[in-house]
Amino acid sequence: MTAILHDSSTIEFEVYGPVDAPALLLPVNPAPPVEGPEADQLRAWGGDPALGHSLIKGFSEHFRVVAFDYEAQLQTSPKPETLTPGNLAADFLAVADAAEVPTFAYYGYSWLGLAGLQLAIRTDRLTALVMGGFPPLDGPYAAMLQVTEATYELAGAPVSTTPVEPGDWDSTEVAMSKEQAQQFVTLYRALQSFDDHAVHVSCPRLCIAGSADNIQYGERWGNAYVSIGAAVEKNQSRLEELGWAVHLLPGLDHLQAMHADKILPIAEPWLREQLLA
């Protein structure tokens, strides 16, 4: 099944789970788990080779999951001038329209968690929001602009074949074209005036983050400091006053807290409580 996005490019999506269950929009790769050396490399860096597959399997028992790999679509059809928060939300609504789900919950992690917040303030169709790996208050918008602008400057250069030690983020190569990198510069530039303290989200909402999800980048990246876990911890009381459920995963960094076996035990029963009680 296919949806048409804001730039007239198309994206494939797949639907899983009971036909009459509440819908859940899930921007993940629905392909089978990665295996072999690629899986070993992902694990070495803290990634989850079965992430999309496991999330779909876990959520689709009780929800009608609409899964679409938006990150892969951005790689094949970059949107260097048009990846704005409004167009991002419009793309997700286009997927929901094509899947014929008038209302839906949403789960996204990292910048796709940020995308969920932008979606929530632009539509009344959202029944619940699960925002992982990005703080609803004091989001690192300025720091991420630094990182994405540095990434853009490094993009397009020949990629070295010298192996990089897992965890050495400062030495990683930028395997992106200029167009692929520029779309994220466009997104974060558009978010520089965004005041997350002025946001009102009315649907049930859950924030999940690793307590150790705070990244100090080196000189190549403008010495940016991206605070995620610390920002959530600092604002936990305020978030709860605003109606957020907050879960900090002790000692986990950005990739570790993303794993399906960390997210599902929190998000799946919470969504059932909100939508199926």
Side-chain angles (χ1 to χ4, degrees):
M1 290 173 281
T2 304
I4 300 174
L5 303 183
H6 76 270
D7 60 344
S8 299
S9 65
T10 59
I11 188 168
E12 299 295 320
F13 65 89
E14 298 181 11
V15 181
Y16 306 82
V19 174
D20 58 350
L24 172 65
L25 219 58
L26 196 62
V28 299
N29 183 356
V34 174
E35 297 179 350
E38 187 179 351
D40 294 338
Q41 183 72 357
L42 274 171
R43 291 189 192 97
W45 283 85
D48 179 356
L51 181 62
H53 175 82
S54 299
L55 288 172
I56 291 168
K57 183 179 178 181
F59 282 125
S60 63
E61 182 177 352
H62 294 107
F63 299 99
R64 187 157 180 77
V65 173
V66 180
F68 59 106
D69 194 349
Y70 193 69
E71 288 186 301
Q73 207 277 347
L74 294 183
Q75 296 305 302
T76 56
S77 299
K79 309 165 199 328
E81 304 288 348
T82 64
L83 191 65
T84 61
N87 284 337
L88 184 57
D91 284 349
F92 289 5
L93 291 173
V95 173
D97 288 343
E100 299 182 345
V101 290
T103 60
F104 51 89
Y106 176 87
Y107 165 70
Y109 191 92
S110 192
W111 78 271
L112 291 168
L114 172 162
L117 184 61
Q118 295 301 314
L119 180 63
I121 63 176
R122 286 175 167 82
T123 183
D124 59 1
R125 296 169 61 181
L126 206 60
T127 57
L129 168 63
V130 183
M131 189 172 173
F134 203 93
L137 290 178
D138 294 331
Y141 301 105
M144 286 307 302
L145 180 59
Q146 280 184 267
V147 172
T148 53
E149 286 181 334
T151 301
Y152 175 77
E153 293 302 320
L154 294 167
V159 176
S160 171
T161 57
T162 304
V164 177
E165 284 297 314
D168 184 6
W169 295 101
D170 274 349
S171 299
T172 55
E173 299 288 341
V174 175
M176 283 187 186
S177 69
K178 286 290 189 183
E179 282 196 331
Q180 289 168 337
Q182 186 182 342
Q183 58 194 338
F184 294 102
V185 175
T186 296
L187 177 63
Y188 283 106
R189 280 182 179 164
L191 286 165
Q192 292 310 292
S193 60
F194 177 63
D195 181 3
D196 50 25
H197 284 262
V199 163
H200 174 69
V201 180
S202 58
C203 68
R205 47 215 177 271
L206 166 65
C207 169
I208 305 172
S211 67
D213 187 355
N214 306 291
I215 306 169
Q216 177 64 67
Y217 286 87
E219 189 173 345
R220 291 175 77 205
W221 315 98
N223 296 308
Y225 178 65
V226 176
S227 171
I228 295 172
V232 172
E233 186 171 11
K234 180 185 74 172
N235 289 309
Q236 182 166 356
S237 296
R238 178 58 180 154
L239 285 167
E240 290 170 347
E241 289 173 4
L242 292 171
W244 287 82
V246 178
H247 279 262
L248 274 167
L249 299 168
L252 299 189
D253 64 21
H254 197 65
L255 290 178
Q256 293 166 339
M258 184 192 292
H259 285 218
D261 63 0
K262 300 297 187 296
I263 295 297
L264 283 169
I266 300 169
E268 201 276 340
W270 181 85
L271 283 169
R272 277 192 280 117
E273 181 181 351
Q274 304 306 316
L275 303 179
L276 295 172

